[in-house]
Amino acid sequence: MSEQPMPQDAAQENEQAAAEQAQAAEQPMTVDVILASGSPRRKELLEREGVSFTIRVSEVDESLEPDLEANPPEAVKKLAERKAGAVVQEVLGEGYTGMAAIIGADTMVVCDGEIFGKPASISDAKRMLRRLQGNTHEVLTGVSVWLVSAPNAEDVSLGFRTFVDRAAVTFHPQTDEQLAEYLKCGESFDKAGAYAAQGNGAKLVKHIEGDLDTVIGLPVTRLLKEFPDLK
């Protein structure tokens, strides 16, 4: 039996469908970037670089076991992973499909081996600033990026990579009166180490060796170098 020629309209439709499939294959898959942090500083840093993202904040236990307290670089990595991992669980629990990159971050100030987190009170903030004044301390920011591939809700693959970026910060010597004046501005209480290097706390800083963004809370240049698909 001889084959009948395909109607012209059907042939054109097939050609158009094949062209659309080829074009779709050439298009890079969209990655949904999610910042697992409510920090306005991290939000501003990503926006500055032109990254499109949404914010999902999940409360996680930030307490540290004694072995992690003795190892700040490992501690800041673990907290970044906890924050991102919690949001991954939430997203997948909602039946997410697609490609996503979830970014978790944590920043620590370390002085003479002691981790300075967010101060619990004004006296705690004053204690931290007294220790930091006139000295050099280290700021560690851990960043954990979890990559989610979910063509459908039942077919999910995960991978993650975490890094730690470091900066050394030297403070000017300060009197108690100068520290008290800084504390009055109120920016100490949600900042590791009780100061904001991008705010009024810049007056306390004599020198930074490393990336200012690391001190603020997210080393975006390194982040986008290691994960260029985020942008």
Side-chain angles (χ1 to χ4, degrees), residues 37-102:
S37 172
S39 164
R41 277 79 57 190
R42 295 187 180 117
K43 175 178 179 289
E44 289 167 3
L45 290 170
L46 279 180
E47 288 175 339
R48 187 192 73 194
E49 299 300 320
V51 178
S52 298
F53 63 97
T54 57
I55 293 174
R56 296 274 305 244
V57 182
S58 179
E59 298 298 327
V60 297
D61 180 9
E62 295 192 34
S63 60
L64 297 172
E65 298 78 10
D67 59 329
L68 287 177
E69 285 187 351
N71 188 347
E74 190 63 24
V76 80
K77 284 175 58 177
K78 291 298 182 185
L79 289 179
E81 289 168 2
R82 285 181 197 173
K83 292 175 181 180
V87 171
V88 169
Q89 289 183 341
E90 287 183 5
V91 168
L92 293 180
E94 297 168 0
Y96 174 82
T97 58
M99 292 281 291
I102 292 90

Short mmCIF file of all heavy atoms in Angstrom, two decimals, residues 37-102:
data_model
loop_
_atom_site.label_atom_id
_atom_site.label_comp_id
_atom_site.label_asym_id
_atom_site.label_seq_id
_atom_site.Cartn_x
_atom_site.Cartn_y
_atom_site.Cartn_z
N SER A 37 15.82 33.83 54.60
CA SER A 37 16.24 34.79 55.61
C SER A 37 15.34 36.01 55.57
O SER A 37 14.97 36.47 54.49
CB SER A 37 17.69 35.23 55.37
OG SER A 37 18.06 36.30 56.22
N GLY A 38 15.03 36.54 56.74
CA GLY A 38 14.26 37.77 56.80
C GLY A 38 15.13 39.01 56.96
O GLY A 38 14.62 40.10 57.16
N SER A 39 16.45 38.83 56.83
CA SER A 39 17.37 39.94 57.02
C SER A 39 17.21 40.98 55.91
O SER A 39 17.41 40.68 54.73
CB SER A 39 18.81 39.43 57.04
OG SER A 39 19.72 40.50 56.84
N PRO A 40 16.90 42.22 56.26
CA PRO A 40 16.82 43.26 55.21
C PRO A 40 18.16 43.52 54.56
O PRO A 40 18.23 43.92 53.40
CB PRO A 40 16.31 44.49 55.96
CG PRO A 40 16.49 44.22 57.40
CD PRO A 40 16.50 42.74 57.58
N ARG A 41 19.27 43.28 55.30
CA ARG A 41 20.60 43.49 54.70
C ARG A 41 20.85 42.48 53.58
O ARG A 41 21.31 42.84 52.49
CB ARG A 41 21.70 43.36 55.75
CG ARG A 41 21.95 44.60 56.58
CD ARG A 41 20.94 44.78 57.68
NE ARG A 41 20.89 43.63 58.57
CZ ARG A 41 19.96 43.44 59.52
NH1 ARG A 41 18.99 44.32 59.65
NH2 ARG A 41 19.98 42.38 60.29
N ARG A 42 20.55 41.22 53.82
CA ARG A 42 20.76 40.20 52.78
C ARG A 42 19.84 40.46 51.59
O ARG A 42 20.23 40.27 50.43
CB ARG A 42 20.55 38.80 53.36
CG ARG A 42 21.58 38.45 54.43
CD ARG A 42 21.47 37.01 54.90
NE ARG A 42 22.49 36.76 55.91
CZ ARG A 42 22.24 36.43 57.17
NH1 ARG A 42 20.99 36.29 57.59
NH2 ARG A 42 23.23 36.23 58.03
N LYS A 43 18.62 40.87 51.86
CA LYS A 43 17.69 41.21 50.78
C LYS A 43 18.27 42.32 49.91
O LYS A 43 18.26 42.23 48.68
CB LYS A 43 16.35 41.63 51.39
CG LYS A 43 15.31 42.13 50.40
CD LYS A 43 14.02 42.47 51.14
CE LYS A 43 12.95 43.01 50.18
NZ LYS A 43 13.27 44.35 49.68
N GLU A 44 18.78 43.36 50.54
CA GLU A 44 19.34 44.48 49.79
C GLU A 44 20.56 44.06 48.97
O GLU A 44 20.75 44.54 47.83
CB GLU A 44 19.73 45.60 50.76
CG GLU A 44 18.53 46.31 51.38
CD GLU A 44 18.93 47.18 52.56
OE1 GLU A 44 20.15 47.28 52.85
OE2 GLU A 44 18.03 47.78 53.19
N LEU A 45 21.39 43.19 49.51
CA LEU A 45 22.59 42.75 48.79
C LEU A 45 22.23 41.96 47.54
O LEU A 45 22.83 42.16 46.47
CB LEU A 45 23.48 41.92 49.71
CG LEU A 45 24.18 42.70 50.83
CD1 LEU A 45 24.85 41.75 51.82
CD2 LEU A 45 25.22 43.66 50.25
N LEU A 46 21.23 41.08 47.64
CA LEU A 46 20.81 40.33 46.45
C LEU A 46 20.15 41.25 45.43
O LEU A 46 20.38 41.13 44.22
CB LEU A 46 19.83 39.22 46.85
CG LEU A 46 20.43 37.93 47.40
CD1 LEU A 46 19.31 36.94 47.75
CD2 LEU A 46 21.39 37.27 46.41
N GLU A 47 19.33 42.19 45.90
CA GLU A 47 18.69 43.12 44.99
C GLU A 47 19.72 43.98 44.28
O GLU A 47 19.56 44.30 43.09
CB GLU A 47 17.71 44.01 45.77
CG GLU A 47 16.46 43.28 46.23
CD GLU A 47 15.56 44.14 47.09
OE1 GLU A 47 16.06 45.14 47.66
OE2 GLU A 47 14.37 43.80 47.22
N ARG A 48 20.76 44.36 44.98
CA ARG A 48 21.82 45.17 44.39
C ARG A 48 22.44 44.48 43.18
O ARG A 48 22.83 45.14 42.20
CB ARG A 48 22.91 45.45 45.44
CG ARG A 48 23.99 46.42 45.00
CD ARG A 48 25.13 46.39 45.98
NE ARG A 48 25.92 45.17 45.86
CZ ARG A 48 26.81 44.76 46.77
NH1 ARG A 48 27.00 45.46 47.87
NH2 ARG A 48 27.49 43.64 46.57
N GLU A 49 22.52 43.16 43.23
CA GLU A 49 23.12 42.40 42.14
C GLU A 49 22.12 41.99 41.07
O GLU A 49 22.46 41.27 40.14
CB GLU A 49 23.80 41.14 42.69
CG GLU A 49 24.92 41.43 43.67
CD GLU A 49 26.03 42.26 43.05
OE1 GLU A 49 26.38 42.01 41.88
OE2 GLU A 49 26.54 43.18 43.73
N GLY A 50 20.88 42.43 41.20
CA GLY A 50 19.88 42.15 40.18
C GLY A 50 19.32 40.75 40.21
O GLY A 50 18.80 40.26 39.20
N VAL A 51 19.41 40.07 41.36
CA VAL A 51 18.88 38.71 41.47
C VAL A 51 17.38 38.79 41.76
O VAL A 51 16.94 39.54 42.64
CB VAL A 51 19.59 37.94 42.61
CG1 VAL A 51 18.99 36.54 42.77
CG2 VAL A 51 21.08 37.85 42.34
N SER A 52 16.60 38.01 41.02
CA SER A 52 15.16 37.90 41.27
C SER A 52 14.94 36.76 42.27
O SER A 52 15.39 35.64 42.04
CB SER A 52 14.39 37.63 39.97
OG SER A 52 14.56 38.70 39.05
N PHE A 53 14.22 37.04 43.34
CA PHE A 53 14.07 36.03 44.39
C PHE A 53 12.83 36.32 45.22
O PHE A 53 12.26 37.41 45.18
CB PHE A 53 15.30 35.98 45.29
CG PHE A 53 15.54 37.27 46.07
CD1 PHE A 53 15.12 37.41 47.39
CD2 PHE A 53 16.19 38.34 45.47
CE1 PHE A 53 15.33 38.58 48.08
CE2 PHE A 53 16.41 39.52 46.16
CZ PHE A 53 15.98 39.65 47.47
N THR A 54 12.42 35.31 45.95
CA THR A 54 11.37 35.47 46.95
C THR A 54 11.98 35.15 48.32
O THR A 54 13.08 34.59 48.41
CB THR A 54 10.18 34.54 46.68
OG1 THR A 54 10.64 33.19 46.65
CG2 THR A 54 9.51 34.88 45.37
N ILE A 55 11.26 35.52 49.36
CA ILE A 55 11.75 35.31 50.73
C ILE A 55 10.84 34.34 51.45
O ILE A 55 9.61 34.47 51.41
CB ILE A 55 11.82 36.65 51.50
CG1 ILE A 55 12.89 37.55 50.88
CG2 ILE A 55 12.09 36.42 52.99
CD1 ILE A 55 12.94 38.94 51.48
N ARG A 56 11.45 33.35 52.06
CA ARG A 56 10.72 32.41 52.93
C ARG A 56 11.54 32.28 54.21
O ARG A 56 12.70 31.87 54.17
CB ARG A 56 10.60 31.03 52.27
CG ARG A 56 9.79 30.97 51.00
CD ARG A 56 8.31 30.79 51.26
NE ARG A 56 8.00 29.64 52.07
CZ ARG A 56 7.29 28.60 51.63
NH1 ARG A 56 6.89 28.53 50.38
NH2 ARG A 56 6.96 27.63 52.45
N VAL A 57 10.96 32.62 55.32
CA VAL A 57 11.67 32.55 56.59
C VAL A 57 11.08 31.42 57.42
O VAL A 57 9.86 31.33 57.59
CB VAL A 57 11.56 33.87 57.38
CG1 VAL A 57 12.36 33.80 58.67
CG2 VAL A 57 12.06 35.02 56.52
N SER A 58 11.94 30.56 57.92
CA SER A 58 11.50 29.49 58.80
C SER A 58 12.28 29.58 60.11
O SER A 58 13.50 29.71 60.11
CB SER A 58 11.74 28.12 58.14
OG SER A 58 11.33 27.08 59.00
N GLU A 59 11.56 29.53 61.19
CA GLU A 59 12.22 29.58 62.50
C GLU A 59 12.93 28.26 62.75
O GLU A 59 12.34 27.19 62.64
CB GLU A 59 11.18 29.82 63.60
CG GLU A 59 10.44 31.15 63.48
CD GLU A 59 11.37 32.35 63.60
OE1 GLU A 59 12.37 32.26 64.34
OE2 GLU A 59 11.09 33.37 62.94
N VAL A 60 14.22 28.34 63.07
CA VAL A 60 15.00 27.14 63.36
C VAL A 60 15.71 27.32 64.69
O VAL A 60 15.91 28.45 65.17
CB VAL A 60 16.04 26.84 62.25
CG1 VAL A 60 15.36 26.54 60.94
CG2 VAL A 60 17.03 27.98 62.10
N ASP A 61 16.07 26.22 65.28
CA ASP A 61 16.81 26.24 66.54
C ASP A 61 18.25 26.66 66.24
O ASP A 61 18.97 25.97 65.53
CB ASP A 61 16.77 24.84 67.17
CG ASP A 61 17.51 24.78 68.49
OD1 ASP A 61 17.91 25.85 69.00
OD2 ASP A 61 17.70 23.67 69.01
N GLU A 62 18.66 27.80 66.78
CA GLU A 62 20.02 28.30 66.54
C GLU A 62 20.96 28.00 67.71
O GLU A 62 22.07 28.51 67.74
CB GLU A 62 19.98 29.80 66.25
CG GLU A 62 19.24 30.15 64.98
CD GLU A 62 19.45 31.59 64.54
OE1 GLU A 62 20.55 32.13 64.76
OE2 GLU A 62 18.49 32.18 63.98
N SER A 63 20.51 27.18 68.64
CA SER A 63 21.40 26.80 69.74
C SER A 63 22.49 25.88 69.22
O SER A 63 22.29 25.14 68.24
CB SER A 63 20.61 26.11 70.85
OG SER A 63 19.99 24.93 70.38
N LEU A 64 23.64 25.94 69.85
CA LEU A 64 24.79 25.17 69.39
C LEU A 64 25.25 24.18 70.45
O LEU A 64 25.29 24.50 71.64
CB LEU A 64 25.96 26.12 69.06
CG LEU A 64 25.73 27.11 67.92
CD1 LEU A 64 26.88 28.10 67.85
CD2 LEU A 64 25.58 26.37 66.59
N GLU A 65 25.60 22.99 69.99
CA GLU A 65 26.18 22.00 70.87
C GLU A 65 27.60 22.44 71.24
O GLU A 65 28.22 23.23 70.52
CB GLU A 65 26.21 20.63 70.19
CG GLU A 65 24.85 20.06 69.82
CD GLU A 65 24.25 20.66 68.56
OE1 GLU A 65 24.98 21.41 67.86
OE2 GLU A 65 23.07 20.41 68.30
N PRO A 66 28.12 21.97 72.37
CA PRO A 66 29.45 22.41 72.81
C PRO A 66 30.54 22.22 71.77
O PRO A 66 31.44 23.06 71.65
CB PRO A 66 29.70 21.53 74.05
CG PRO A 66 28.34 21.24 74.58
CD PRO A 66 27.46 21.10 73.38
N ASP A 67 30.47 21.13 70.99
CA ASP A 67 31.53 20.92 69.99
C ASP A 67 31.46 21.95 68.88
O ASP A 67 32.48 22.36 68.33
CB ASP A 67 31.46 19.50 69.41
CG ASP A 67 30.13 19.21 68.73
OD1 ASP A 67 29.10 19.77 69.18
OD2 ASP A 67 30.11 18.42 67.77
N LEU A 68 30.25 22.44 68.56
CA LEU A 68 30.12 23.48 67.55
C LEU A 68 30.52 24.84 68.10
O LEU A 68 31.10 25.66 67.39
CB LEU A 68 28.68 23.53 67.02
CG LEU A 68 28.26 22.39 66.09
CD1 LEU A 68 26.80 22.53 65.69
CD2 LEU A 68 29.14 22.33 64.85
N GLU A 69 30.21 25.10 69.36
CA GLU A 69 30.62 26.37 69.97
C GLU A 69 32.14 26.51 69.95
O GLU A 69 32.67 27.62 69.86
CB GLU A 69 30.11 26.46 71.41
CG GLU A 69 28.62 26.74 71.51
CD GLU A 69 28.20 26.98 72.94
OE1 GLU A 69 29.02 26.76 73.86
OE2 GLU A 69 27.04 27.38 73.15
N ALA A 70 32.83 25.39 70.02
CA ALA A 70 34.29 25.40 70.02
C ALA A 70 34.86 25.46 68.61
O ALA A 70 36.08 25.56 68.43
CB ALA A 70 34.83 24.17 70.74
N ASN A 71 33.99 25.41 67.60
CA ASN A 71 34.43 25.39 66.20
C ASN A 71 33.56 26.34 65.38
O ASN A 71 32.66 25.91 64.67
CB ASN A 71 34.35 23.96 65.65
CG ASN A 71 34.97 23.82 64.27
OD1 ASN A 71 35.25 24.82 63.60
ND2 ASN A 71 35.19 22.60 63.83
N PRO A 72 33.80 27.67 65.49
CA PRO A 72 32.93 28.64 64.82
C PRO A 72 32.73 28.42 63.33
O PRO A 72 31.59 28.55 62.85
CB PRO A 72 33.61 29.98 65.12
CG PRO A 72 34.32 29.75 66.42
CD PRO A 72 34.81 28.32 66.34
N PRO A 73 33.77 28.10 62.53
CA PRO A 73 33.51 27.89 61.10
C PRO A 73 32.51 26.76 60.83
O PRO A 73 31.66 26.87 59.94
CB PRO A 73 34.90 27.56 60.53
CG PRO A 73 35.85 28.19 61.49
CD PRO A 73 35.22 28.03 62.82
N GLU A 74 32.61 25.68 61.59
CA GLU A 74 31.67 24.58 61.42
C GLU A 74 30.28 24.98 61.93
O GLU A 74 29.27 24.62 61.34
CB GLU A 74 32.16 23.34 62.18
CG GLU A 74 31.38 22.07 61.86
CD GLU A 74 31.49 21.62 60.42
OE1 GLU A 74 32.48 21.99 59.74
OE2 GLU A 74 30.58 20.91 59.94
N ALA A 75 30.25 25.77 63.01
CA ALA A 75 28.97 26.21 63.57
C ALA A 75 28.21 27.09 62.59
O ALA A 75 26.99 26.92 62.40
CB ALA A 75 29.22 26.96 64.87
N VAL A 76 28.90 28.03 61.95
CA VAL A 76 28.21 28.94 61.03
C VAL A 76 27.73 28.19 59.79
O VAL A 76 26.67 28.51 59.22
CB VAL A 76 29.12 30.14 60.69
CG1 VAL A 76 30.14 29.80 59.62
CG2 VAL A 76 28.30 31.35 60.28
N LYS A 77 28.46 27.17 59.37
CA LYS A 77 28.00 26.32 58.27
C LYS A 77 26.73 25.57 58.64
O LYS A 77 25.76 25.53 57.87
CB LYS A 77 29.10 25.30 57.89
CG LYS A 77 30.25 25.86 57.09
CD LYS A 77 31.33 24.82 56.87
CE LYS A 77 30.83 23.58 56.16
NZ LYS A 77 31.92 22.61 55.90
N LYS A 78 26.73 24.97 59.82
CA LYS A 78 25.58 24.18 60.25
C LYS A 78 24.32 25.03 60.37
O LYS A 78 23.22 24.60 59.99
CB LYS A 78 25.87 23.49 61.58
CG LYS A 78 26.91 22.38 61.50
CD LYS A 78 26.46 21.25 60.59
CE LYS A 78 27.49 20.12 60.55
NZ LYS A 78 27.10 19.06 59.57
N LEU A 79 24.46 26.24 60.90
CA LEU A 79 23.28 27.10 61.03
C LEU A 79 22.75 27.53 59.67
O LEU A 79 21.53 27.59 59.46
CB LEU A 79 23.62 28.32 61.89
CG LEU A 79 23.83 28.04 63.38
CD1 LEU A 79 24.18 29.33 64.12
CD2 LEU A 79 22.60 27.39 64.00
N ALA A 80 23.65 27.83 58.73
CA ALA A 80 23.21 28.18 57.38
C ALA A 80 22.47 27.01 56.74
O ALA A 80 21.43 27.18 56.08
CB ALA A 80 24.40 28.59 56.52
N GLU A 81 22.99 25.79 56.96
CA GLU A 81 22.34 24.59 56.40
C GLU A 81 20.98 24.35 57.04
O GLU A 81 20.02 23.97 56.36
CB GLU A 81 23.26 23.39 56.58
CG GLU A 81 24.48 23.42 55.67
CD GLU A 81 25.54 22.38 56.04
OE1 GLU A 81 25.29 21.59 56.99
OE2 GLU A 81 26.60 22.36 55.40
N ARG A 82 20.88 24.57 58.35
CA ARG A 82 19.59 24.39 59.03
C ARG A 82 18.54 25.33 58.47
O ARG A 82 17.39 24.96 58.23
CB ARG A 82 19.74 24.65 60.53
CG ARG A 82 20.43 23.56 61.33
CD ARG A 82 20.47 23.96 62.81
NE ARG A 82 21.45 23.19 63.55
CZ ARG A 82 21.78 23.43 64.81
NH1 ARG A 82 21.20 24.44 65.46
NH2 ARG A 82 22.68 22.70 65.44
N LYS A 83 18.93 26.58 58.29
CA LYS A 83 17.98 27.59 57.80
C LYS A 83 17.49 27.25 56.40
O LYS A 83 16.28 27.31 56.12
CB LYS A 83 18.62 28.97 57.82
CG LYS A 83 18.91 29.49 59.23
CD LYS A 83 19.66 30.82 59.18
CE LYS A 83 19.97 31.34 60.57
NZ LYS A 83 20.69 32.64 60.55
N ALA A 84 18.41 26.92 55.50
CA ALA A 84 18.01 26.57 54.14
C ALA A 84 17.23 25.26 54.12
O ALA A 84 16.21 25.15 53.43
CB ALA A 84 19.24 26.47 53.23
N GLY A 85 17.71 24.28 54.88
CA GLY A 85 17.05 22.97 54.89
C GLY A 85 15.62 23.04 55.39
O GLY A 85 14.74 22.32 54.89
N ALA A 86 15.36 23.90 56.37
CA ALA A 86 14.00 24.03 56.89
C ALA A 86 13.06 24.56 55.82
O ALA A 86 11.91 24.10 55.69
CB ALA A 86 14.00 24.95 58.11
N VAL A 87 13.53 25.51 55.02
CA VAL A 87 12.69 26.06 53.95
C VAL A 87 12.50 25.03 52.84
O VAL A 87 11.42 24.93 52.24
CB VAL A 87 13.29 27.38 53.42
CG1 VAL A 87 12.56 27.85 52.16
CG2 VAL A 87 13.22 28.46 54.50
N VAL A 88 13.54 24.25 52.55
CA VAL A 88 13.40 23.17 51.56
C VAL A 88 12.27 22.23 51.97
O VAL A 88 11.41 21.86 51.15
CB VAL A 88 14.72 22.39 51.40
CG1 VAL A 88 14.50 21.13 50.58
CG2 VAL A 88 15.79 23.27 50.74
N GLN A 89 12.25 21.84 53.24
CA GLN A 89 11.20 20.94 53.71
C GLN A 89 9.81 21.57 53.57
O GLN A 89 8.85 20.90 53.17
CB GLN A 89 11.45 20.56 55.16
CG GLN A 89 12.64 19.63 55.36
CD GLN A 89 12.81 19.22 56.82
OE1 GLN A 89 12.29 19.86 57.72
NE2 GLN A 89 13.54 18.14 57.04
N GLU A 90 9.71 22.85 53.89
CA GLU A 90 8.43 23.54 53.76
C GLU A 90 7.95 23.56 52.30
O GLU A 90 6.79 23.27 52.00
CB GLU A 90 8.54 24.97 54.26
CG GLU A 90 8.63 25.10 55.77
CD GLU A 90 8.67 26.56 56.20
OE1 GLU A 90 8.53 27.45 55.32
OE2 GLU A 90 8.83 26.82 57.41
N VAL A 91 8.88 23.92 51.41
CA VAL A 91 8.52 24.03 49.99
C VAL A 91 8.09 22.69 49.42
O VAL A 91 7.06 22.58 48.73
CB VAL A 91 9.72 24.62 49.20
CG1 VAL A 91 9.48 24.49 47.70
CG2 VAL A 91 9.94 26.08 49.56
N LEU A 92 8.86 21.66 49.72
CA LEU A 92 8.50 20.33 49.20
C LEU A 92 7.22 19.81 49.84
O LEU A 92 6.46 19.08 49.20
CB LEU A 92 9.66 19.35 49.44
CG LEU A 92 10.94 19.64 48.65
CD1 LEU A 92 12.00 18.60 48.96
CD2 LEU A 92 10.66 19.67 47.15
N GLY A 93 6.98 20.19 51.09
CA GLY A 93 5.74 19.78 51.75
C GLY A 93 4.50 20.38 51.11
O GLY A 93 3.38 19.87 51.30
N GLU A 94 4.69 21.43 50.34
CA GLU A 94 3.58 22.07 49.64
C GLU A 94 3.41 21.53 48.22
O GLU A 94 2.61 22.05 47.44
CB GLU A 94 3.81 23.59 49.59
CG GLU A 94 3.82 24.23 50.97
CD GLU A 94 4.34 25.67 50.94
OE1 GLU A 94 4.68 26.14 49.84
OE2 GLU A 94 4.42 26.30 52.01
N GLY A 95 4.20 20.49 47.88
CA GLY A 95 4.07 19.88 46.57
C GLY A 95 4.73 20.66 45.45
O GLY A 95 4.28 20.64 44.31
N TYR A 96 5.82 21.35 45.77
CA TYR A 96 6.52 22.18 44.77
C TYR A 96 6.97 21.36 43.58
O TYR A 96 7.43 20.22 43.71
CB TYR A 96 7.73 22.84 45.43
CG TYR A 96 8.60 23.60 44.45
CD1 TYR A 96 8.27 24.89 44.05
CD2 TYR A 96 9.74 23.01 43.90
CE1 TYR A 96 9.06 25.58 43.14
CE2 TYR A 96 10.53 23.69 42.99
CZ TYR A 96 10.19 24.97 42.61
OH TYR A 96 10.97 25.64 41.71
N THR A 97 6.87 21.96 42.39
CA THR A 97 7.46 21.38 41.18
C THR A 97 8.25 22.48 40.47
O THR A 97 7.87 23.64 40.47
CB THR A 97 6.39 20.83 40.22
OG1 THR A 97 5.47 21.87 39.86
CG2 THR A 97 5.62 19.68 40.86
N GLY A 98 9.38 22.07 39.88
CA GLY A 98 10.24 23.02 39.17
C GLY A 98 11.67 22.90 39.64
O GLY A 98 12.08 21.89 40.23
N MET A 99 12.45 23.93 39.33
CA MET A 99 13.85 24.01 39.77
C MET A 99 13.97 25.18 40.73
O MET A 99 13.53 26.28 40.43
CB MET A 99 14.77 24.24 38.57
CG MET A 99 14.87 23.07 37.62
SD MET A 99 15.99 21.79 38.25
CE MET A 99 17.56 22.63 38.14
N ALA A 100 14.58 24.93 41.88
CA ALA A 100 14.71 25.99 42.87
C ALA A 100 16.09 25.97 43.50
O ALA A 100 16.74 24.93 43.59
CB ALA A 100 13.64 25.84 43.97
N ALA A 101 16.54 27.15 43.91
CA ALA A 101 17.77 27.30 44.68
C ALA A 101 17.41 28.04 45.96
O ALA A 101 16.93 29.18 45.90
CB ALA A 101 18.83 28.06 43.89
N ILE A 102 17.60 27.39 47.09
CA ILE A 102 17.26 27.97 48.39
C ILE A 102 18.55 28.38 49.08
O ILE A 102 19.45 27.55 49.26
CB ILE A 102 16.45 27.00 49.25
CG1 ILE A 102 15.06 26.77 48.66
CG2 ILE A 102 16.28 27.55 50.67
CD1 ILE A 102 14.96 25.64 47.70
#
